[in-house]
Coordinates of all heavy atoms in Angstrom, one line a residue:
M1 N 134.7 152.3 125.2 CA 134.2 151.3 126.1 C 133.9 151.9 127.5 O 134.7 152.7 128.0 CB 135.3 150.3 126.2 CG 135.0 149.2 127.1 SD 136.1 147.8 127.1 CE 136.9 147.9 128.8
A2 N 132.7 151.7 128.0 CA 132.2 152.2 129.3 C 132.9 151.4 130.4 O 132.9 150.2 130.4 CB 130.7 152.1 129.3
A3 N 133.2 152.2 131.5 CA 133.9 151.6 132.6 C 133.7 152.6 133.8 O 133.6 153.8 133.6 CB 135.4 151.3 132.3
V4 N 133.8 152.1 135.0 CA 133.8 152.9 136.2 C 135.1 153.7 136.3 O 136.2 153.0 136.3 CB 133.5 152.1 137.5 CG1 133.6 153.0 138.8 CG2 132.2 151.4 137.4
R5 N 135.0 154.9 136.4 CA 136.1 155.8 136.5 C 135.8 157.0 137.5 O 134.7 157.3 137.8 CB 136.5 156.4 135.1 CG 136.8 155.5 134.1 CD 138.2 154.9 134.2 NE 138.6 154.2 133.0 CZ 138.5 153.0 132.9 NH1 138.1 152.2 133.7 NH2 139.0 152.3 131.7
I6 N 136.9 157.6 138.0 CA 136.8 158.8 138.8 C 137.3 160.0 137.9 O 138.4 159.9 137.3 CB 137.7 158.7 140.0 CG1 137.2 157.5 140.9 CG2 137.7 160.0 140.8 CD1 138.2 157.1 142.1
L7 N 136.4 161.0 137.9 CA 136.8 162.3 137.2 C 137.1 163.3 138.3 O 136.4 163.5 139.2 CB 135.6 162.8 136.4 CG 135.0 161.8 135.4 CD1 133.8 162.4 134.9 CD2 135.9 161.5 134.3
K8 N 138.2 164.0 138.1 CA 138.7 165.2 138.9 C 138.2 166.4 138.1 O 138.7 166.5 136.9 CB 140.1 165.2 139.2 CG 140.5 166.5 139.9 CD 140.0 166.5 141.3 CE 140.9 166.0 142.4 NZ 140.4 166.2 143.7
L9 N 137.3 167.1 138.6 CA 136.8 168.3 137.9 C 137.5 169.5 138.2 O 138.2 169.5 139.2 CB 135.3 168.5 138.2 CG 134.3 167.3 138.0 CD1 132.8 167.7 138.3 CD2 134.4 166.8 136.5
V10 N 137.4 170.6 137.4 CA 138.2 171.8 137.6 C 137.8 172.4 138.9 O 138.4 173.3 139.5 CB 138.0 172.8 136.4 CG1 138.7 172.2 135.2 CG2 136.7 173.2 136.1
T11 N 136.5 172.2 139.4 CA 136.0 172.6 140.7 C 136.7 172.1 141.9 O 136.5 172.4 143.0 CB 134.5 172.4 140.7 OG1 134.3 171.0 140.7 CG2 133.8 173.1 139.7
G12 N 137.5 170.9 141.6 CA 138.2 170.2 142.6 C 137.3 169.0 143.2 O 137.8 168.1 144.0
D13 N 136.0 168.9 142.7 CA 135.3 167.7 143.0 C 135.8 166.4 142.3 O 136.3 166.5 141.2 CB 133.8 168.0 142.6 CG 133.2 169.1 143.4 OD1 133.4 169.3 144.7 OD2 132.4 169.9 142.7
D14 N 135.6 165.4 143.0 CA 135.8 164.0 142.5 C 134.4 163.3 142.2 O 133.5 163.3 143.1 CB 136.5 163.1 143.4 CG 138.0 163.6 143.6 OD1 138.6 163.9 142.6 OD2 138.4 163.6 144.8
V15 N 134.2 162.9 140.9 CA 132.9 162.3 140.6 C 133.3 160.8 140.1 O 134.1 160.7 139.3 CB 132.2 163.1 139.5 CG1 130.9 162.4 139.0 CG2 131.9 164.5 140.0
I16 N 132.5 160.0 140.5 CA 132.6 158.5 140.2 C 131.4 158.1 139.4 O 130.3 158.5 139.8 CB 133.0 157.6 141.4 CG1 133.4 156.2 140.8 CG2 131.8 157.6 142.4 CD1 133.9 155.3 142.0
G17 N 131.6 157.3 138.4 CA 130.5 156.9 137.6 C 130.9 156.0 136.5 O 132.1 155.8 136.3
I18 N 130.0 155.5 135.7 CA 130.3 154.6 134.5 C 130.4 155.7 133.3 O 129.4 156.4 133.0 CB 129.2 153.7 134.2 CG1 129.1 152.7 135.4 CG2 129.6 152.9 132.9 CD1 127.8 151.8 135.4
I19 N 131.6 155.8 132.8 CA 131.9 156.9 131.8 C 132.1 156.3 130.4 O 132.5 155.2 130.2 CB 132.9 157.8 132.2 CG1 134.4 157.1 132.0 CG2 132.7 158.5 133.5 CD1 135.5 158.2 132.0
S20 N 131.6 157.1 129.4 CA 131.8 156.8 128.0 C 131.9 158.1 127.3 O 131.5 159.2 127.8 CB 130.8 155.9 127.4 OG 129.5 156.5 127.6
E21 N 132.4 158.1 126.1 CA 132.5 159.4 125.3 C 131.3 159.4 124.4 O 130.9 158.3 123.9 CB 133.7 159.3 124.4 CG 134.1 160.6 123.7 CD 135.4 160.5 123.0 OE1 136.4 160.7 123.6 OE2 135.3 160.3 121.8
A22 N 130.8 160.5 124.1 CA 129.6 160.6 123.3 C 129.6 161.9 122.4 O 130.5 162.8 122.8 CB 128.2 160.6 124.0
E23 N 129.0 162.0 121.4 CA 129.0 163.2 120.6 C 127.6 163.9 120.7 O 126.6 163.3 120.6 CB 129.2 162.8 119.1 CG 130.6 162.3 118.8 CD 130.8 162.1 117.3 OE1 130.0 162.7 116.5 OE2 131.8 161.7 116.9
I24 N 127.7 165.2 120.8 CA 126.4 166.1 120.7 C 126.1 166.3 119.3 O 125.0 166.1 118.9 CB 126.6 167.4 121.5 CG1 126.8 167.1 123.0 CG2 125.4 168.3 121.2 CD1 127.0 168.4 123.7
D25 N 127.2 166.7 118.5 CA 127.1 166.7 117.1 C 128.5 166.3 116.6 O 129.3 165.9 117.4 CB 126.6 168.1 116.6 CG 127.5 169.2 117.1 OD1 128.6 169.1 117.2 OD2 126.8 170.3 117.5
K26 N 128.7 166.5 115.3 CA 129.9 166.0 114.8 C 131.1 166.8 115.2 O 132.3 166.4 115.1 CB 129.9 165.9 113.4 CG 129.7 167.2 112.6 CD 129.8 167.0 111.0 CE 129.7 168.3 110.3 NZ 129.9 168.2 109.0
D27 N 130.9 168.0 115.8 CA 132.1 168.9 116.2 C 132.3 168.9 117.8 O 133.3 169.4 118.2 CB 131.8 170.3 115.7 CG 131.9 170.4 114.1 OD1 132.7 169.5 113.5 OD2 131.1 171.2 113.7
R28 N 131.3 168.4 118.5 CA 131.4 168.5 119.9 C 131.2 167.2 120.6 O 130.2 166.5 120.4 CB 130.2 169.5 120.4 CG 130.5 170.9 120.0 CD 129.5 171.8 120.6 NE 128.8 171.4 121.8 CZ 127.7 171.9 122.2 NH1 127.1 172.9 121.6 NH2 127.2 171.5 123.4
K29 N 132.2 166.8 121.4 CA 132.2 165.6 122.3 C 132.0 165.9 123.6 O 132.4 166.9 124.1 CB 133.4 164.8 122.0 CG 133.5 164.3 120.6 CD 134.7 163.2 120.4 CE 134.7 162.8 119.0 NZ 135.1 161.5 118.8
V30 N 131.3 165.1 124.4 CA 131.3 165.2 125.8 C 131.6 163.8 126.5 O 131.7 162.8 125.9 CB 129.7 165.5 126.2 CG1 129.4 166.9 125.8 CG2 128.8 164.5 125.9
I31 N 131.7 163.9 127.8 CA 131.9 162.7 128.6 C 130.6 162.4 129.2 O 130.0 163.2 129.9 CB 133.0 162.8 129.6 CG1 134.4 163.2 129.0 CG2 133.1 161.6 130.5 CD1 135.4 163.6 129.9
E32 N 130.0 161.2 128.9 CA 128.8 160.8 129.5 C 129.1 160.0 130.8 O 129.9 159.1 130.8 CB 127.9 159.9 128.6 CG 127.2 160.8 127.5 CD 126.1 159.9 126.8 OE1 126.2 158.7 126.8 OE2 125.3 160.6 126.2
V33 N 128.4 160.4 131.8 CA 128.6 159.7 133.2 C 127.3 159.1 133.7 O 126.3 159.9 133.8 CB 129.2 160.6 134.2 CG1 129.5 159.8 135.5 CG2 130.3 161.3 133.7
K34 N 127.1 157.9 133.7 CA 125.9 157.1 134.2 C 126.1 156.8 135.7 O 127.2 156.5 136.2 CB 125.8 155.8 133.4 CG 124.5 155.0 133.8 CD 124.4 153.7 133.0 CE 123.1 153.0 133.4 NZ 122.9 151.8 132.7
A35 N 125.1 157.1 136.4 CA 125.1 157.0 137.9 C 126.1 157.7 138.5 O 126.9 157.3 139.4 CB 125.0 155.5 138.3
P36 N 126.2 159.0 138.2 CA 127.3 159.8 138.8 C 127.2 160.1 140.3 O 126.0 160.4 140.8 CB 127.4 161.2 138.0 CG 125.9 161.3 137.7 CD 125.4 159.9 137.4
H37 N 128.2 160.1 141.1 CA 128.2 160.4 142.5 C 129.5 161.2 142.9 O 130.6 160.9 142.4 CB 128.2 159.1 143.4 CG 126.9 158.5 143.4 ND1 126.4 157.7 142.4 CD2 125.9 158.4 144.3 CE1 125.1 157.3 142.6 NE2 124.9 157.7 143.8
F38 N 129.3 162.1 143.7 CA 130.4 162.9 144.4 C 131.1 162.0 145.3 O 130.4 161.2 146.1 CB 130.0 164.1 145.1 CG 129.7 165.3 144.4 CD1 128.4 165.9 144.4 CD2 130.6 166.0 143.7 CE1 128.0 166.9 143.7 CE2 130.3 167.1 142.9 CZ 129.0 167.6 143.0
I39 N 132.4 161.9 145.5 CA 133.2 161.2 146.5 C 133.6 162.3 147.5 O 134.1 163.2 147.2 CB 134.4 160.6 145.9 CG1 134.1 159.5 144.7 CG2 135.2 159.9 147.0 CD1 135.2 159.0 144.0
M40 N 133.2 161.9 148.7 CA 133.4 162.8 149.9 C 134.1 162.1 151.0 O 133.9 160.9 151.2 CB 132.1 163.4 150.4 CG 131.4 164.1 149.4 SD 129.9 164.9 150.0 CE 129.3 163.7 151.3
M41 N 135.1 162.7 151.6 CA 135.7 162.3 152.8 C 135.3 163.1 154.0 O 135.3 164.3 153.8 CB 137.2 162.2 152.6 CG 137.8 161.2 151.6 SD 139.5 161.2 151.5 CE 139.9 160.4 153.0
R42 N 135.1 162.5 155.1 CA 134.7 163.2 156.3 C 135.4 162.5 157.4 O 135.7 161.3 157.4 CB 133.2 163.3 156.5 CG 132.5 162.0 156.6 CD 131.1 162.2 156.9 NE 130.4 160.8 157.1 CZ 130.4 160.1 158.1 NH1 131.1 160.4 159.2 NH2 129.7 159.0 158.1
P43 N 135.7 163.3 158.5 CA 136.3 162.8 159.6 C 135.5 161.7 160.3 O 134.3 161.8 160.4 CB 136.5 163.9 160.6 CG 136.4 165.1 159.7 CD 135.5 164.8 158.6
K44 N 136.3 160.7 160.7 CA 135.5 159.6 161.5 C 135.1 160.1 162.8 O 135.9 160.9 163.5 CB 136.5 158.4 161.6 CG 135.8 157.1 161.9 CD 136.9 156.0 161.8 CE 136.3 154.7 161.6 NZ 137.3 153.6 161.6
K45 N 134.0 159.7 163.3 CA 133.5 160.1 164.6 C 134.5 159.8 165.7 O 135.1 158.8 165.7 CB 132.1 159.5 164.9 CG 131.3 160.2 165.8 CD 129.9 159.6 165.9 CE 129.0 160.5 166.6 NZ 127.7 160.0 166.6
D46 N 134.7 160.8 166.6 CA 135.7 160.7 167.7 C 137.1 160.4 167.1 O 137.9 159.7 167.9 CB 135.2 159.6 168.6 CG 133.8 159.9 169.1 OD1 133.6 161.1 169.3 OD2 133.0 159.0 169.3
S47 N 137.6 161.0 166.1 CA 138.9 160.7 165.6 C 139.4 161.9 164.9 O 138.6 162.6 164.1 CB 139.0 159.5 164.6 OG 140.4 159.4 164.2
D48 N 140.7 162.3 165.1 CA 141.3 163.5 164.6 C 142.0 163.1 163.3 O 142.3 164.0 162.4 CB 142.2 164.2 165.5 CG 141.5 164.8 166.6 OD1 140.3 165.2 166.5 OD2 142.1 164.9 167.6
N49 N 142.4 161.8 163.1 CA 143.2 161.6 161.9 C 142.7 160.4 161.1 O 143.4 159.8 160.2 CB 144.7 161.3 162.4 CG 144.7 160.1 163.3 OD1 143.7 159.6 163.8 ND2 145.9 159.8 163.8
E50 N 141.4 159.9 161.3 CA 140.9 158.9 160.5 C 139.6 159.5 159.7 O 139.0 160.3 160.3 CB 140.5 157.7 161.3 CG 141.6 157.0 161.9 CD 141.1 155.7 162.8 OE1 140.3 156.0 163.7 OE2 141.4 154.7 162.4
Y51 N 139.5 159.0 158.5 CA 138.3 159.5 157.7 C 137.6 158.4 157.1 O 138.0 157.2 157.0 CB 139.0 160.3 156.5 CG 139.7 161.5 157.0 CD1 141.0 161.6 157.4 CD2 138.9 162.7 157.0 CE1 141.6 162.7 157.8 CE2 139.5 163.9 157.5 CZ 140.8 163.9 157.8 OH 141.5 165.1 158.2
V52 N 136.3 158.6 156.7 CA 135.5 157.6 156.1 C 135.1 158.2 154.8 O 135.0 159.5 154.6 CB 134.2 157.3 156.9 CG1 134.6 156.5 158.2 CG2 133.4 158.4 157.2
L53 N 134.8 157.3 153.8 CA 134.4 157.7 152.5 C 132.9 157.7 152.3 O 132.2 156.9 152.9 CB 135.0 156.7 151.5 CG 134.7 157.0 150.1 CD1 135.6 158.1 149.5 CD2 135.1 155.7 149.3
G54 N 132.4 158.8 151.7 CA 131.0 158.9 151.4 C 130.7 159.2 150.0 O 131.5 159.8 149.3
L55 N 129.6 158.7 149.6 CA 129.2 159.0 148.2 C 127.8 159.7 148.3 O 126.9 159.3 149.1 CB 128.9 157.8 147.4 CG 130.2 156.9 147.1 CD1 129.8 155.7 146.4 CD2 131.2 157.7 146.3
T56 N 127.5 160.8 147.4 CA 126.3 161.5 147.3 C 126.0 161.6 145.9 O 126.9 161.8 145.2 CB 126.3 162.7 148.1 OG1 125.0 163.3 148.2 CG2 127.3 163.7 147.6
P57 N 124.7 161.5 145.5 CA 124.4 161.7 144.1 C 124.9 163.0 143.5 O 124.9 164.1 144.2 CB 122.8 161.6 144.0 CG 122.6 160.9 145.4 CD 123.6 161.4 146.3
Y58 N 125.3 163.1 142.4 CA 125.7 164.2 141.5 C 124.4 164.6 140.7 O 123.9 163.7 140.0 CB 126.9 164.0 140.7 CG 127.3 165.1 139.8 CD1 128.3 166.1 140.3 CD2 126.9 165.2 138.5 CE1 128.6 167.1 139.5 CE2 127.2 166.3 137.7 CZ 128.2 167.2 138.3 OH 128.5 168.4 137.5
A59 N 124.0 165.8 140.7 CA 122.8 166.2 139.9 C 121.6 165.2 140.4 O 120.9 164.6 139.4 CB 123.1 166.0 138.4
P60 N 121.2 165.2 141.6 CA 120.2 164.4 142.1 C 118.7 164.7 141.5 O 117.9 163.9 141.5 CB 120.2 164.5 143.6 CG 120.7 165.9 143.8 CD 121.8 166.0 142.7
Y61 N 118.6 165.9 141.0 CA 117.3 166.3 140.5 C 117.2 166.2 139.0 O 116.3 166.6 138.4 CB 116.9 167.7 140.9 CG 116.9 167.8 142.4 CD1 117.9 168.4 143.1 CD2 116.0 167.1 143.2 CE1 117.9 168.5 144.5 CE2 116.0 167.1 144.6 CZ 116.9 167.9 145.2 OH 116.9 167.9 146.6
A62 N 118.3 165.7 138.3 CA 118.3 165.5 136.9 C 117.2 164.4 136.5 O 117.0 163.5 137.2 CB 119.6 165.1 136.5
K63 N 116.6 164.7 135.3 CA 115.7 163.8 134.9 C 116.2 162.3 134.6 O 115.6 161.3 134.9 CB 115.0 164.3 133.6 CG 113.8 163.5 133.1 CD 113.1 164.2 131.9 CE 111.9 163.4 131.4 NZ 111.3 164.1 130.3
N64 N 117.4 162.3 134.0 CA 118.0 161.0 133.7 C 119.2 160.7 134.7 O 119.7 161.6 135.2 CB 118.5 161.1 132.2 CG 117.4 161.2 131.3 OD1 116.4 160.7 131.4 ND2 117.7 162.1 130.4
S65 N 119.5 159.5 134.7 CA 120.6 159.2 135.6 C 122.1 159.2 134.9 O 123.0 158.8 135.3 CB 120.5 157.7 136.1 OG 120.5 156.7 135.1
T66 N 122.0 159.7 133.6 CA 123.1 159.9 132.8 C 123.3 161.3 132.6 O 122.4 162.0 132.1 CB 123.2 159.1 131.4 OG1 123.0 157.7 131.8 CG2 124.3 159.3 130.7
I67 N 124.4 161.9 132.8 CA 124.7 163.3 132.6 C 125.9 163.5 131.6 O 126.7 162.6 131.4 CB 125.1 164.1 133.9 CG1 126.2 163.5 134.6 CG2 123.9 164.0 134.9 CD1 127.0 164.5 135.5
A68 N 126.0 164.6 131.0 CA 127.1 164.9 130.0 C 128.0 165.9 130.7 O 127.5 167.0 131.3 CB 126.5 165.5 128.7
I69 N 129.3 165.7 130.6 CA 130.3 166.7 131.3 C 131.2 167.2 130.0 O 131.7 166.4 129.2 CB 131.1 166.1 132.3 CG1 130.3 165.8 133.5 CG2 132.3 167.0 132.7 CD1 130.9 165.2 134.7
I70 N 131.3 168.4 129.9 CA 132.3 169.0 128.9 C 133.7 168.6 129.2 O 134.2 168.9 130.4 CB 132.1 170.5 128.8 CG1 130.5 170.8 128.4 CG2 133.1 171.1 127.7 CD1 130.2 172.3 128.6
P71 N 134.4 168.0 128.3 CA 135.7 167.5 128.6 C 136.8 168.6 129.2 O 137.5 168.3 129.9 CB 136.2 167.1 127.3 CG 135.1 166.7 126.5 CD 134.0 167.6 126.9
T72 N 136.6 169.8 128.8 CA 137.5 170.9 129.3 C 137.2 171.2 130.8 O 138.0 171.9 131.4 CB 137.3 172.3 128.5 OG1 136.0 172.7 128.6 CG2 137.8 172.1 127.1
H73 N 136.2 170.6 131.4 CA 135.9 170.8 132.9 C 136.5 169.6 133.6 O 136.4 169.6 134.9 CB 134.5 170.8 133.0 CG 133.8 172.1 132.5 ND1 132.6 172.6 132.9 CD2 134.3 172.9 131.5 CE1 132.3 173.7 132.4 NE2 133.3 173.9 131.4
V74 N 137.3 168.7 133.0 CA 137.9 167.6 133.6 C 139.4 167.7 133.6 O 139.9 167.9 132.6 CB 137.5 166.3 132.9 CG1 138.1 165.0 133.6 CG2 136.0 166.1 132.9
I75 N 140.0 167.6 134.8 CA 141.4 167.7 135.0 C 142.0 166.3 134.7 O 143.1 166.2 134.0 CB 141.8 168.2 136.4 CG1 141.4 169.7 136.5 CG2 143.3 168.1 136.6 CD1 141.5 170.1 138.0
S76 N 141.5 165.3 135.4 CA 142.0 164.0 135.1 C 140.9 162.9 135.2 O 139.8 163.0 135.8 CB 143.1 163.7 136.2 OG 142.5 163.7 137.5
I77 N 141.2 161.8 134.7 CA 140.4 160.6 134.8 C 141.3 159.4 135.3 O 142.3 159.1 134.8 CB 139.8 160.3 133.4 CG1 138.9 161.4 132.9 CG2 138.9 159.0 133.4 CD1 138.4 161.2 131.5
C78 N 140.7 158.7 136.3 CA 141.5 157.6 136.7 C 140.6 156.3 137.1 O 139.4 156.5 137.3 CB 142.4 158.0 138.0 SG 141.4 158.5 139.4
D79 N 141.3 155.2 137.3 CA 140.6 154.0 137.7 C 140.4 154.1 139.2 O 141.3 154.5 139.9 CB 141.3 152.7 137.4 CG 141.3 152.5 135.9 OD1 140.3 152.8 135.1 OD2 142.4 152.0 135.4
P80 N 139.2 153.6 139.8 CA 139.2 153.6 141.2 C 140.0 152.6 141.9 O 140.3 151.5 141.2 CB 137.7 153.4 141.5 CG 137.1 152.8 140.2 CD 138.1 153.2 139.1
N81 N 140.6 152.8 143.0 CA 141.3 151.9 143.8 C 140.4 150.7 144.2 O 139.3 150.8 144.6 CB 141.9 152.6 145.1 CG 142.9 151.8 145.8 OD1 142.8 150.5 145.9 ND2 143.9 152.5 146.3
E82 N 141.0 149.4 144.2 CA 140.3 148.3 144.6 C 139.8 148.4 146.0 O 138.7 147.8 146.3 CB 141.1 147.0 144.3 CG 141.5 146.7 142.9 CD 142.8 147.5 142.5 OE1 143.6 147.8 143.4 OE2 142.9 147.7 141.3
D83 N 140.5 149.0 146.8 CA 140.1 149.2 148.2 C 138.8 149.9 148.4 O 138.0 149.8 149.4 CB 141.1 149.9 149.0 CG 142.4 149.1 149.2 OD1 142.3 147.9 149.0 OD2 143.4 149.6 149.6
L84 N 138.4 150.7 147.3 CA 137.0 151.4 147.4 C 135.9 150.4 147.5 O 134.8 150.8 148.1 CB 136.9 152.2 146.1 CG 135.8 153.3 146.0 CD1 135.9 154.2 147.1 CD2 135.8 153.8 144.7
W85 N 136.0 149.3 146.9 CA 134.9 148.2 147.0 C 134.9 147.3 148.1 O 133.9 146.6 148.4 CB 135.0 147.5 145.6 CG 135.2 148.3 144.4 CD1 136.2 148.1 143.5 CD2 134.4 149.3 143.9 NE1 136.2 149.0 142.6 CE2 135.1 149.8 142.7 CE3 133.2 149.9 144.3 CZ2 134.6 150.8 141.9 CZ3 132.8 150.9 143.5 CH2 133.4 151.3 142.4
N86 N 136.0 147.3 148.9 CA 136.1 146.4 150.0 C 135.6 147.1 151.3 O 135.7 148.2 151.6 CB 137.4 145.9 150.2 CG 137.8 145.1 149.0 OD1 137.0 144.4 148.4 ND2 139.1 145.1 148.5

C-alpha cells in the first residue's frame, strides 16, 4: 500500500514521498518513491535557536517523478509528524 513516508538514508539524508515496494525482477526488490523531496532544516532568520523546514526536490533532473531506492540504502522508514502539514 502506497503512503507518504520519510526515509532516512545511509547518507544521513531524509527523503519524503509516496512510497511503495516494487520488483525489478523476481530476485530484486526496490522501494519506489513518487514525488521525492529532501527534508532540510535551516536556521530561522535573525534567530540562533529556531529553525524552519524546507523541501527541495530529490533527483530534480530525473525523467520521471518516481525513483527507485535500493532497500540496503535505507536506515529507517517512518510516518511524518502531523505538524509537518500545519
Side-chain angles (χ1 to χ4, degrees):
M1 185 168 112
V4 174
R5 299 281 192 266
I6 298 172
L7 304 172
K8 172 67 92 176
L9 304 180
V10 295
T11 59
D13 294 320
D14 290 314
V15 176
I16 189 168
I18 301 166
I19 70 165
S20 60
E21 188 177 279
E23 288 187 14
I24 294 176
D25 55 43
K26 67 180 184 174
D27 296 325
R28 292 181 27 194
K29 293 190 180 212
V30 296
I31 298 169
E32 283 192 342
V33 185
K34 183 178 180 181
H37 284 75
F38 281 115
I39 300 173
M40 303 180 325
M41 291 183 68
R42 62 176 175 81
K44 201 173 199 179
K45 201 173 196 173
D46 301 325
S47 177
D48 291 334
N49 59 355
E50 292 182 302
Y51 293 85
V52 293
L53 182 71
L55 297 175
T56 187
Y58 179 89
Y61 302 108
K63 185 175 182 179
N64 297 317
S65 64
T66 300
I67 61 159
I69 296 178
I70 300 167
T72 57
H73 292 202
V74 177
I75 295 173
S76 64
I77 300 174
C78 63
D79 294 323
N81 189 321
E82 296 85 25
D83 292 340
L84 189 63
W85 316 119
N86 297 326

